[in-house]
Amino acid sequence: MNKKDTDLWRRLFSTLLVLCLTLWGCAWAETGFSPQPVIKDEALTSNPQPVAKDELLPTAEPSETAAAEDVDAPEDAPEPAAEAPYEGLEVYFLDLGRVDGILIRCGGENCFIDVGFKENARAAVKFLRAMGISHLHSYVGTHGHFDHIEGAPQIIDAFRPDRMYFSHLGAINAIIDCADAAQQEVIADTEKVILQPGDTFTVGEAVLTALGPLKVKNVNTGNTGENDNSLILRLDYGHRSFLFTADTTDKILRAVNAQFPGKLNVDVFKNPHHNGAHDEDVIDMIRPAVTVFCTDDGHQPTKAYQSLLAAKGSRVYITGPENQGNVAIVSDGQSLETRCGYSVKDVALESVPRLHVGQDYDIKVTVDPADALIPQTQLGWNSSDPSVIQVYNGRVRAMGEGRATITAAAVNGVSGAVEVECWLAYVTLDQSEMSLAVGQTKKLGGQITPANAKGVSGTWLSEDEGVATVEGGKVTGVGEGTTRVIARLSNGAEAACTVTVRGRMAASVKLDKQKAEMKVGDNLTLAATVEPADFNADDLEWYSSDESILWVDQSGNITAVKPGKAKIAVVASEGVYDVCVIRVK
């Protein structure tokens, strides 16, 4: 075969290979199958080990600072970082009994699904508040059965959601029937949305899609047929997905799968109807990596059903104090991590220094008992005002001027909180204390952080100008005493230096000896004459050039230590001094 024929066959083979790979990729995509996630399982131990996790938050570069002689800020404004690293999805299946109570948190927004009876709502409210949540962006009532929505008015009243989502009007009326007069007013003032199949809404960066019911029928919230009207929601976040099914039935799930092929295939499956078992073909449609049962210890899924799920590759988590309690599943859009079963008694957050816009800071956490070993990533973090401070896995970022409370909660609801203050800019000084004489001037340096703080100006002031004055950072002693010199920014941030002013500055100082000789062990006292005559002798400072040869105290008393030669100096004021050279035999 000649070279021309060889090249021809080589090109033909390459073309066929590319065509095969393309066809294989298309066939793979058409299956609707996504690779199974990495499940980080910390569920079955009360002492979970820290979980290694990819760093989701880039470390910000340190802000440049500028020396501020007049504490004047540049005109350009600092803008919050363009990237949005404080993302992450958290889904909590609460241990409220044989009822559904599900919290979804993402991108600083909060959504709650169902809640159960009124007594369940009290526990849910307590948990949400422990998580630092004071507001819901959305509430979902899946259907009109009281074991899902009787306590909804308490959740709506406590957290005032921006809007509520339902599958049909009857579910809204069922909630109103459970509300008192004040709660009914809140419900009336809240936006209400009836979701149709294919409709979507968001919680932060997570997208929820209504897959069912395909058709609402036989609306009667008092009979079992209402289960078929349950809202079925698929949640997508990055490459990970969840399916929330309320009390829907296998018949409805099969119909949904026919209408939306492949959309039931998710990573995390909230099992319908609490502890109910479902047919194998339904599990094959969903193919979950994780199945969660919202039930109590008295109503458990059968061993046979749990075995079926295990055989299909699904891990099982069950709420209830004898099982996993609250079950939390978190994701960065790639991996999944479970949190449950912790016996945490206390969570304490250390204080956070004042931050400036754009600055990042890692909060230190102490957990009791210490052997619970909960790392930052296994706590639920919340900011009371994300426009001021955002938080993710213990790292906060200052977004705007103001104050916000950061809360960290273990999955059992035990939490700790700390208030964080954020300035558009703040000022630091190069000295916290300064000493000078009457008539003497020294420079006090300052820095504004960040260096490009927009619209921030600064001024210098002295709290007692009878002691010291300041102009452009130059401090001058006026009279004996102590005062504070302050650099204050227009946004209220300030830093202070304590200034002590002694008597008048010396014009000259003269020792009574310029040279001397001593023997080891001898003592000698030098006398200093200072001009002006009213100079305070206590302000003189004495030094030895070599204390191993000559030692001197602050009254000019000298002791010869060993043979050699050294100098004794007396300093009256800056640049005003005299020296005596002493030889020790």
Side-chain angles (χ1 to χ4, degrees), residues 46 48 141 145 197 204 222 263 342 366 380 466 498 507 560 562:
S46 60
H145 279 162
K263 290 298 184 180
Y342 302 139
T366 303
T498 300
K562 71 176 185 180

Side-chain angles (χ1 to χ4, degrees), residues 329-520:
I329 300 179
V330 302
S331 178
D332 58 7
Q334 297 291 335
S335 64
L336 292 175
E337 174 191 335
T338 59
R339 310 169 182 164
C340 37
Y342 302 139
S343 55
V344 176
K345 297 179 181 178
D346 185 57
V347 176
L349 307 185
E350 292 188 6
S351 60
V352 177
R354 185 173 57 201
L355 306 177
H356 63 81
V357 171
Q359 183 178 359
D360 287 349
Y361 185 86
D362 291 311
I363 298 179
K364 295 180 180 178
V365 184
T366 303
V367 176
D368 180 30
D371 61 4
L373 297 176
I374 295 183
Q376 310 275 60
T377 57
Q378 294 176 351
L379 294 168
W381 293 87
N382 187 75
S383 170
S384 65
D385 190 345
S387 68
V388 175
I389 300 289
Q390 291 186 356
V391 61
Y392 184 73
N393 284 350
R395 173 167 287 184
V396 298
R397 171 166 292 177
M399 304 300 292
E401 197 162 18
R403 295 174 183 265
T405 299
I406 302 301
T407 304
V411 73
N412 63 356
V414 175
S415 66
V418 65
E419 186 177 68
V420 181
E421 182 179 18
C422 175
W423 293 100
L424 182 62
Y426 65 87
V427 61
T428 55
L429 300 178
D430 60 3
Q431 300 173 69
S432 60
E433 294 182 354
M434 177 184 287
S435 178
L436 67 164
V438 172
Q440 185 179 9
T441 297
K442 289 185 178 180
K443 185 69 170 62
L444 184 60
Q447 289 181 333
I448 295 176
T449 304
N452 60 342
K454 181 181 179 181
V456 177
S457 60
T459 57
W460 292 95
L461 61 95
S462 169
E463 290 186 331
D464 188 344
E465 293 192 343
V467 175
T469 60
V470 60
E471 183 176 354
K474 296 177 181 179
V475 183
T476 301
V478 176
E480 293 188 63
T482 300
T483 187
R484 290 198 318 155
V485 169
I486 298 171
R488 180 173 294 162
L489 302 185
S490 56
N491 66 358
E494 64 179 39
C497 175
T498 300
V499 177
T500 301
V501 180
R502 26 180 225 279
R504 185 171 297 280
M505 187 175 178
S508 65
V509 61
K510 187 71 174 177
L511 292 174
D512 60 345
K513 297 180 186 302
Q514 301 300 304
K515 295 182 180 179
E517 291 188 353
M518 299 176 67
K519 294 181 180 180
V520 174

